[in-house]
C-alpha cells in the first residue's frame, strides 16, 4: 500500500512525504521573508518618481501575486484545457505555498505536473535572487565596493554589511499589507 488513504499503520513513505511537505512550506516562507528583507525600502532604478520607497513592504506580495497568476495559467492549461477540469483552478492559491498534488501519486491529479511546478519554483527563486541583488544596497564580495549609491556606509561586506543594513530599521518587518 503506502498510498494516502490506503496505508494502515506506520508507513515510512508517508512520514518522509510529511517531512518533505513541512520542509517545502518552511523553505517557501523563509525565501519570501528573505526577499522581503532584501528589497524593502530599496529604490527601483527608473521608477523612483512613482515609487520613492521602492517596493516598501510589498516585495513578497508581488512575488505571491506573480506566482498565483502563473499557477492559474498553468492549471488552466494542464487541468482545464487538457482535461476539462476547470474547477481545479481553485487549487492555485494553496499551491502558492506548497505543491497540491499527492506526492506518492505518479499522475497529475489536481494541478500541474511536478516538473512544471518545481521548474516555476526554481525560476522564481532565481528571479528573487537577481532582483534582491540588484536592489540591495550592500553587495558582498570583491569588486563590489560603493558603486550602487555613493554611500560607503551601506556597501559593507558579509555579516557587517547585513548588520548595518538592518541596524536602522525602526519598525517590524512584514511582508504584505499597507
Amino acid at each position: 500500500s503506502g498510498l494516502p488513504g490506503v496505508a494502515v499503520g506506520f508507513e515510512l513513505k508517508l512520514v518522509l512525504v510529511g517531512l518533505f511537505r513541512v520542509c517545502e512550506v518552511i523553505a517557501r516562507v523563509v525565501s519570501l521573508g528573505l526577499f522581503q528583507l532584501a528589497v524593502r525600502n530599496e529604490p527601483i532604478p527608473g521608477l523612483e518618481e512613482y515609487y520613492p520607497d521602492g517596493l516598501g513592504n510589498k516585495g513578497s506580495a508581488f512575488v505571491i501575486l506573480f506566482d498565483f497568476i502563473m499557477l492559474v495559467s498553468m492549471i488552466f492549461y494542464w487541468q482545464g484545457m487538457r482535461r476539462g477540469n476547470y474547477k481545479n483552478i481553485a487549487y492555485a492559491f494553496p499551491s502558492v505555498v506548497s505543491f497540491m498534488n499527492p506526492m506518492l501519486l505518479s499522475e497529475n491529479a489536481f494541478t500541474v505536473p511536478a516538473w512544471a511546478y518545481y521548474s516555476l519554483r526554481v525560476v522564481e527563486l532565481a528571479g528573487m535572487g537577481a532582483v534582491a541583488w540588484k536592489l540591495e544596497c550592500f553587495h558582498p564580495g570583491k569588486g563590489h565596493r560603493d558603486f550602487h549609491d555613493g554611500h560607503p556606509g551601506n556597501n559593507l561586506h558579509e555579516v557587517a554589511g547585513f548588520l548595518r543594513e538592518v541596524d536602522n530599521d525602526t519598525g517590524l518587518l512584514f511582508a504584505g499589507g499597507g
Side-chain angles (χ1 to χ4, degrees), residues 13 16 19 24 41 48 68 71 95 99 106-107 111 132-133 151:
K13 289 181 194 177
L16 293 176
L19 183 63
E24 181 180 16
N41 302 326
E48 294 93 346
F68 179 72
L71 285 166
S95 294
F99 187 47
S106 60
E107 68 256 10
T111 57
W133 180 260
H151 189 281

Side-chain angles (χ1 to χ4, degrees), residues 8-19:
V8 178
F10 177 80
E11 285 283 342
L12 181 60
K13 289 181 194 177
L14 293 178
V15 172
L16 293 176
V17 166
L19 183 63

Side-chain angles (χ1 to χ4, degrees), residues 7-166:
V8 178
F10 177 80
E11 285 283 342
L12 181 60
K13 289 181 194 177
L14 293 178
V15 172
L16 293 176
V17 166
L19 183 63
F20 176 81
R21 293 294 191 177
V22 168
C23 292
E24 181 180 16
V25 171
I26 290 171
R28 181 69 172 158
V29 170
V30 167
S31 67
L32 287 170
L34 288 174
F35 180 72
Q36 177 61 43
L37 180 66
V39 301
R40 77 199 187 295
N41 302 326
E42 299 294 344
I44 302 172
L47 297 177
E48 294 93 346
E49 178 182 341
Y50 307 105
Y51 300 102
D53 293 328
L55 297 176
N57 60 2
K58 296 172 184 67
S60 291
F62 283 123
V63 173
I64 291 170
L65 179 63
F66 170 79
D67 192 32
F68 179 72
I69 291 169
M70 289 300 298
L71 285 166
V72 165
S73 303
M74 291 168 68
I75 294 171
F76 181 81
Y77 171 73
W78 286 99
Q79 290 294 323
M81 292 177 66
R82 294 183 69 166
R83 294 185 175 173
N85 294 332
Y86 292 98
K87 65 182 181 189
N88 284 2
I89 291 175
Y91 292 111
F93 188 71
S95 294
V96 167
V97 177
S98 178
F99 187 47
M100 293 306 297
N101 283 351
M103 295 293 291
L104 299 177
L105 217 54
S106 60
E107 68 256 10
N108 175 16
F110 301 126
T111 57
V112 299
W115 66 265
Y117 179 84
Y118 290 111
S119 296
L120 175 64
R121 284 286 171 259
V122 169
V123 169
E124 281 181 352
L125 281 173
M128 288 165 59
V131 168
W133 180 260
K134 180 69 177 164
L135 295 182
E136 184 56 60
C137 281
F138 78 95
H139 293 266
K142 294 182 179 179
H144 294 290
R145 292 245 184 224
D146 199 24
F147 69 94
H148 185 68
D149 63 356
H151 189 281
N154 61 8
N155 287 295
L156 302 174
H157 295 286
E158 298 169 352
V159 176
F162 181 77
L163 292 175
R164 173 73 175 141
E165 178 67 20
V166 298

